[in-house]
């Protein structure tokens, strides 16, 4: 398969090519043109900070591909010029004849010509129970030969194999996160709205015949006022804090965006084997026939099972028999392992009667031809098979007079916490759908045991599949799981995928939130956005709950950012009309940006309430709510400026300081309004928010009173502005609550 690794330099450069970086880069360019090198450096540092955060959280697809490739066969035994040779697997071509031997990994997609083997195809199907494969059977690259030997013809190699297709899907799988979409739409809306205001301001400035030396700083200040500089960094910070909290709960996020996506997830596609089940074949039921009990059936079956075998059936039977005791000791004298040709294993033993006895274990259809069967045995076997169990029959007795002594049913039982997961997710508004490579009958039994109710999908994945149609998708391969996730996403669902095997990797990568269980393969873990580090599935519910808390904090910051950017640009326009000048200099705007974003980013630690249902980004409602809050704050800051100009008759430089103070204190007021969906006194802010707010007020007060980077103001006037902002926050809060309720800001 081709190497598709991205060059680190290319990945780094890409971080500077997006809407927010473009606006910051334009601001840096204008600052340099004006010779404002300090301001340019400050903005450049903000730009680099955002880029570094994004770079270090970049795609893990390359790690997934590396893990996938490491699981493929490196060499193959191939017949060339009538001579068997060992060659690198990469040199195989279609039509080659290769040998499949015990312990080997199948090097390509092949069709068996002669011989019989036991194949573990869990790499593709996810099912741990191996299959018997003989002449004419198609198998795939990555399968492991557990037993036997066969000769096969290569039908596909490289990326044309089923395994190669899986790797290609992992490489190309991509879904834009809800977070990325939200950032883009917020920036787009702000750019459109503020862009129009800036153009009108510049047109008005030209009409006033302002000199170019004033128009350019006005344009730069307006651009800086409209850029949500800290928006990407705050999203990252909030998710990082959530990731830290989840790590303590046994959930390790490998992509920070997965923390936010957990809040919006409304569908969870869950693999069966190893995820909802234990991925460990166990004896579920023993049906002894007349004259025997469970202990005798299991102990005799264990004699016909290989000790230390890789065969999960033999291992399960020996484990179950170890807990059983029978009165008379049995001594194994001979053992014949499972033979794919006759599909049974057998042993010879002696008991208290000394005479050699024979025991045979195999499929019911095979054993029924070797020993007499009771009339109810066939119906019992059929009943067990209808429940999705793998059924084996056991016959024992003298070599010439054996009889069937019982049936053993095996299955992969559900995890103890799987029903609780399904119930908890349902209560949170998340629908669980099972996706498995197993047979529909087996999948339905497991689904019922974990509380999944609903129909089983017919074969094939429809492009318009919707999660409410079926609860079970069985007999699916990696590409089917990938296509199912894409189909759900196409119908506007936020999809989670939970799995443990390499066969789940494409779907884990494509889903907005891929979750690998603690026992997952390296391939699955590297493809997933979250890895459960503790046994069990309770980490999934923890991720949803924590994600919803993080979402509320990010939502508050986004609403706050929209409010500030709208009011700052509109205030520049209102002040231009009132004074005929740019009321804020680029330096004052940079100080407002830094102090305001310091307070805004502290909202990532705030006390919030998680929503009872999946969250969604309602950008239109957010924009309208932010516009409402912005108009309210604009009224306050414009009133303060008007008081300074018309009542106190301040000069331009002093008015600029007053405008600076009004903006900082007005931002404080709307921040406290925005953080609480109910009245602002309904909950106490976090200590970090209170501390950041205090520092913000202290910085603004100190700079304005001492006249640092601006003309000084009397301290009583500054205190009066602060009291006015607090009164505005309380009064405006009564208009905010019904507005938020109407716009569904919850």
């Amino acid at each position: 398969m081709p190497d598709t690794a991205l060059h680190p330099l290319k990945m780094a450069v890409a971080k500077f090519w997006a809407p927010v970086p473009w606006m910051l880069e334009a601001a840096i360019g204008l600052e340099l043109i004006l010779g404002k090198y300090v301001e340019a450096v400050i903005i450049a540092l903000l730009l680099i900070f955002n880029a570094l955060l994004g770079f270090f959280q970049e795609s893990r697809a390359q790690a997934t591909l590396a893990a996938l490739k490491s699981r493929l066969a490196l060499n193959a035994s191939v017949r060339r010029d009538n001579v068997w040779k060992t060659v690198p697997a990469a040199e195989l071509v279609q039509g080659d004849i290769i040998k499949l031997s015990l312990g080997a990994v199948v090097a390509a997609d092949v069709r068996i010509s002669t011989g019989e083997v036991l194949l573990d195809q869990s790499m593709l199907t996810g099912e741990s129970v191996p299959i018997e494969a003989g002449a004419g059977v198609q198998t795939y690259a990555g399968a492991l030969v557990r037993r036997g030997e066969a000769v096969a013809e290569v039908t596909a190699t490289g990326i044309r194999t089923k395994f190669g297709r899986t790797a290609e899907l992992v490489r190309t799988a991509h879904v834009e996160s809800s977070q990325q979409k939200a950032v883009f739409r917020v920036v787009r809306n702000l750019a459109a709205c503020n862009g129009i205001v800036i153009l009108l301001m510049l047109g008005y400035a030209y009409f006033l015949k302002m000199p170019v030396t004033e128009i350019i700083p006005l344009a730069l200040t307006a651009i800086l006022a409209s850029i949500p500089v800290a928006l990407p960094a705050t999203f990252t910070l909030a998710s990082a804090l959530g990731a830290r909290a989840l790590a303590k709960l046994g959930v390790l996020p490998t992509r920070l965006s997965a923390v936010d996506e957990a809040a919006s997830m409304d569908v969870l596609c869950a693999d069966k084997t190893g995820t909802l089940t234990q991925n460990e074949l166990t004896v579920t039921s023993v049906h002894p026939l007349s004259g025997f009990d469970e202990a005798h059936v299991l102990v005799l079956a264990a004699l016909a099972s290989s000790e230390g075998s890789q065969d999960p059936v033999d291992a399960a039977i020996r484990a179950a028999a170890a807990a059983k005791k029978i009165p008379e000791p049995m001594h194994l004298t001979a053992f014949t392992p499972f033979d794919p040709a006759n599909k049974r294993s057998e042993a010879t033993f002696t008991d208290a009667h000394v005479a050699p006895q024979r025991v045979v274990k195999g499929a019911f259809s095979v054993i029924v031809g070797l020993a007499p069967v009771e009339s109810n045995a066939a119906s019992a076997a059929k009943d067990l098979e209808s429940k999705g169990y793998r059924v084996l029959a056991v016959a024992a007795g003298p070599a010439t007079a054996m009889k069937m002594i019982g049936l053993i049913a095996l299955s992969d039982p559900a995890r103890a916490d799987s029903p609780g997961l399904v119930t908890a997710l349902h209560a949170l508004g998340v629908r669980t759908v099972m996706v498995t490579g197993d047979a529909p009958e087996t999948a339905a039994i497991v689904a019922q045991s974990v509380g999944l109710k609903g129909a089983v999908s017919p074969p094939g994945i429809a492009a318009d599949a919707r999660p409410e149609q079926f609860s079970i998708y069985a007999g699916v391969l990696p590409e089917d799981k990938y296509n199912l996730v894409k189909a759900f996403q196409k119908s506007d669902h936020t999809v989670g995928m939970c799995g443990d095997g390499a066969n789940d990797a494409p779907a884990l990568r494509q889903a907005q939130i891929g979750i690998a269980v603690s026992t997952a393969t390296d391939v699955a873990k590297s493809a997933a956005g979250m890895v459960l580090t503790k046994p069990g599935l309770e980490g999934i519910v923890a991720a949803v709950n924590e994600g919803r808390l993080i979402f509320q904090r990010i939502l508050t910051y986004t609403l706050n950012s929209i409010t500030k950017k709208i009011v700052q640009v509109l205030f520049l326009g209102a002040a231009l009309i009132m004074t005929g000048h740019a009321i804020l200099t680029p330096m004052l705007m940079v100080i407002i940006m830094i102090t305001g974003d310091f307070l805004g980013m502290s909202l990532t630690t705030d006390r919030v309430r998680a929503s009872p249902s999946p969250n969604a980004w309602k950008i239109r409602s957010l924009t309208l709510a932010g516009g409402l809050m912005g108009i309210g704050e604009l009224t306050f800051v414009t009133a303060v400026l008007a008081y300074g100009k018309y009542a106190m008759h301040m000069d331009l430089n002093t008015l600029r300081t007053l405008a600076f103070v009004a903006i900082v204190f007005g931002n404080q007021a709307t921040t406290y309004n925005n953080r609480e969906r109910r009245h602002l006194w309904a909950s106490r802010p976090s200590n970090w928010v209170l501390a950041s707010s205090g520092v913000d007020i202290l910085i603004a007060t100190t700079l304005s009173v001492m006249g640092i980077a601006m003309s000084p103001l009397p301290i009583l006037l500054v205190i009066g502005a602060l009291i006015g902002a607090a009164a505005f926050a309380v009064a405006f809060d009564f208009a905010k609550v019904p507005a938020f309720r109407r716009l569904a800001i919850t």
Side-chain angles (χ1 to χ4, degrees), residues 45 247 262 311 354 361 492 603 689 700 703:
L45 290 174
D311 191 323
V354 181
K361 169 175 66 70
D492 294 326
L603 292 171
V689 171
L703 293 178

Side-chain angles (χ1 to χ4, degrees), residues 463-488:
D464 60 348
R466 297 187 304 276
E468 60 272 14
Q469 291 176 308
F470 304 103
S471 293
I472 305 164
Y473 289 83
V476 295
L477 291 175
E479 188 166 357
D480 298 319
K481 294 182 181 182
Y482 168 85
N483 288 333
L484 183 66
V485 169
K486 290 197 72 173
F488 288 170

Side-chain angles (χ1 to χ4, degrees), residues 8-21:
L9 182 60
K10 185 177 180 180
M11 292 170 61
V13 171
K15 298 297 121 192
F16 296 92
W17 190 254
V20 170

